[in-house]
Amino acid sequence: MKDMQKDPQVERPLAQVSQFIQSGNLERARALCEQVLAQSPQDAGALLHLGVVAMSQYRWDEAIAVFERALRIRADPWLLGNLGNCYWKTGRIDEAEYCLRGALELKPDFAGAYYSMGYAYIESKDYKNAVANLKEAARLKPDFASTYWLGVAYREAGEYQNAIASLNEAIKFKPTDHEAHDNLGRTYH
């Protein structure tokens, strides 16, 4: 895979694409990505954004194809992480894990990859691996999602004291979150 130099004429539109995605204007983001790709078909950044647009629209197979195309251009932890999430959403768990592990090889402190692996393990009821991955995600980037799902994984693994501690930590991030309070209450019973 070759690393592409950044084209200043492409960087500005990609910043606009990010703004469109964040504001929910996915059709404009898609159109601008396609415009950039018409000028620079090998622009991995534009492909990354186009894949994120497809993910946001729940077009998993399209997103997979776009991320795979981008990975043929550039090895990138965010591309691998997003591809892993798409594989997980389509039930391809082994491929998801492979991509997420690849993302961690490229960026060992990638909290999002640990979080995604942990959440996927919760879904497959592998609570030991869920705890291990979510614990690392929470260590690297303590936030509501990582501490909340770590608490859920601990509870499902039967580690109630750790579950209570993690859920209380999650509640510190979002004191009014009803699900976190509900899960904390269920952990005590």
Side-chain angles (χ1 to χ4, degrees), residues 12-13 27 35 45 63 168 179-181:
R12 186 169 174 266
E27 291 310 316
Q35 181 183 346
N168 276 322
E179 271 190 60
H181 285 280

Side-chain angles (χ1 to χ4, degrees), residues 153-164:
Y154 273 134
R155 187 189 71 226
E156 295 302 318
E159 296 184 40
Y160 300 111
Q161 292 303 321
N162 287 330
I164 290 167

Side-chain angles (χ1 to χ4, degrees), residues 134-142 146:
L134 290 164
K135 205 172 178 180
E136 189 63 12
R139 184 187 72 77
L140 292 168
K141 184 182 174 199
S146 62

